[in-house]
């Protein structure tokens, strides 16, 4: 958020990348154990690397239009599981960002394609999504929604 505030003329989160360093690999102002870490390290090493919970993809967002919606409050341990499930459900009900069903086709966020392996221990992407969407037909053709990296202004 601080990056965006300091750079009001950007149109995409990707605009914050430098020629030789993607925004995801730039050290953040946050230190963990006294060590600067990047967004990629937080997402891939700390969250996905240590936690077998695909719902995380509905909760860690980059502020692009195609990302799941950013919560307007923090996550707290006492209700983390239910809050994450609510975030996931909200995302999957959003036909522009999460899941769109059309006759015998299912259109999913590209996040499900990029992180398909994260869903394998939960039966795979489609069985996982079916836990939240009862309208998915048997043996659908799976397509992926286009991903819009421009900033989500809402």
């Amino acid at each position: 958020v601080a990056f965006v505030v300091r750079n009001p003329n950007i149109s995409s989160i990707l605009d914050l990348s430098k020629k030789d360093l993607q925004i995801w690999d730039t050290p953040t102002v946050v230190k963990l154990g006294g060590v600067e870490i990047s967004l990629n390290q937080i997402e891939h090493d700390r969250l996905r690397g240590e936690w077998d919970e695909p719902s995380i993809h509905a909760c860690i967002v980059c502020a692009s239009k195609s990302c799941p919606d950013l919560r307007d409050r923090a996550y707290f341990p006492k209700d983390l599981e239910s809050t994450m499930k609510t975030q996931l459900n909200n995302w999957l009900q959003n036909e522009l960002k999460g899941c769109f069903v059309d006759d015998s086709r299912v259109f999913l966020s590209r996040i499900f394609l990029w992180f398909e392996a994260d869903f394998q221990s939960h039966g795979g992407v489609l069985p996982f999504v079916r836990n939240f969407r009862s309208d998915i037909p048997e043996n659908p053709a799976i397509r992926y929604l286009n991903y819009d990296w421009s900033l989500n202004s809402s």
Side-chain angles (χ1 to χ4, degrees):
V1 174
F3 274 131
V4 175
V5 171
R6 289 192 303 260
N7 298 281
N9 296 323
I10 64 167
S11 60
S12 165
I13 192 72
L14 299 177
D15 292 344
L16 296 171
S17 296
K18 296 180 174 90
K19 182 178 179 182
D20 59 341
L21 190 64
Q22 291 290 314
I23 183 61
W24 323 117
D25 295 317
T26 303
T28 66
V29 295
V30 176
K31 291 185 178 185
L32 230 54
V35 178
E36 286 185 344
I37 58 174
S38 70
L39 295 173
N40 262 345
Q41 289 170 308
I42 293 169
E43 178 180 359
H44 303 297
D45 299 342
R46 299 296 177 134
L47 296 174
R48 292 181 53 241
E50 297 179 13
W51 199 16
D52 180 25
E53 179 49 68
S55 298
I56 196 73
H57 295 291
C59 303
I60 51 175
V61 301
C62 72
S64 74
K65 285 186 179 178
S66 290
C67 266
D69 293 335
L70 180 64
R71 274 180 50 85
D72 62 355
R73 57 187 60 98
Y75 293 91
F76 294 99
K78 68 180 173 117
D79 60 355
L80 183 60
E81 187 175 337
S82 64
T83 304
M84 289 178 68
K85 295 297 182 208
T86 299
Q87 277 295 110
L88 180 62
N89 187 57
N90 291 345
W91 178 40
L92 290 175
Q93 299 309 314
N94 186 326
E95 295 184 341
L96 299 176
K97 294 182 177 197
C99 179
F100 174 71
V101 179
D102 178 28
D103 295 323
S104 62
R105 298 179 299 177
V106 175
F107 295 82
L108 296 171
S109 167
R110 288 194 177 271
I111 291 171
F112 290 102
L113 175 64
W114 299 331
F115 297 104
E116 183 177 7
D118 290 3
F119 297 87
Q120 292 312 307
S121 65
H122 296 265
V125 169
L126 207 51
F128 183 84
V129 172
R130 275 196 174 106
N131 290 322
F132 300 88
R133 292 290 301 256
S134 61
D135 58 339
I136 296 177
E138 284 299 315
N139 302 313
I142 299 174
R143 302 288 185 263
Y144 295 95
L145 299 166
N146 291 328
Y147 209 82
D148 185 349
W149 288 99
S150 60
L151 288 179
N152 183 351
S153 60
S154 53

